[in-house]
Amino acid sequence: RLSAATHGLAFMTKAPNMASTDFSDDDGFGGVRPPRPAYSPRDLMRNALVFSASFAILEGCISATIIISHEVVEHHLASSVSAVLYLFFALGTLVAPALVRRAGVKRSLVASMLMYAVYTAAYMAPSPTVLYPAGALGGLAGALLWTAQGAYYTTSAVEYSKAKGRASVG
């Protein structure tokens, strides 16, 4: 079961109609969940495609930053910063589910994108004292982003299945 924090879809492109008025489900925080908007299958598919394209572009930018870093700074420093990035990505996967659950999918996606922006911007002032912390932040951003996008796609798939009138796991 998805938590209340992951229940809403992050990037809606069309205003919903408020057809669902189920107040019976507890939100996990002692209150009740507000009415959930009903989206058409077409809206849900469009949102998933826009999100997929945005996610691919973001990951492409991060991959390009990692590759180009070897041209911007010394090879040894670029390799070390990449090692820090991947170390913190691996460690971040241990705490990312709890962070996404607490902050919610949308906030987690926005926060991770901002953290990635800081990581990328660090190469504008390329010194070890800037790049190592930025690499750690970028690694945590990656763990948070991949966890939040997984929750987003799961929620989208369940909502799409419901909108199409098919049996679902949600």
Side-chain angles (χ1 to χ4, degrees), residues 43-112:
D43 292 337
L44 292 165
M45 182 61 73
R46 182 178 55 241
N47 291 333
L49 292 173
V50 168
F51 184 79
S52 296
S54 300
F55 187 79
I57 291 168
L58 176 65
E59 284 303 311
C61 291
I62 296 305
S63 296
T65 300
I66 293 168
I67 293 165
I68 294 171
S69 68
H70 291 273
E71 300 300 322
V72 176
V73 297
E74 297 175 14
H75 181 74
H76 175 71
L77 179 58
S79 297
S80 298
V81 171
S82 292
V84 169
L85 177 95
Y86 289 114
L87 173 66
F88 276 81
F89 179 85
L91 295 174
T93 60
L94 302 173
V95 297
L99 293 173
V100 170
R101 200 173 310 113
R102 180 176 287 288
V105 172
K106 184 186 283 188
R107 286 188 191 118
S108 297
L109 289 167
V110 171
S112 61

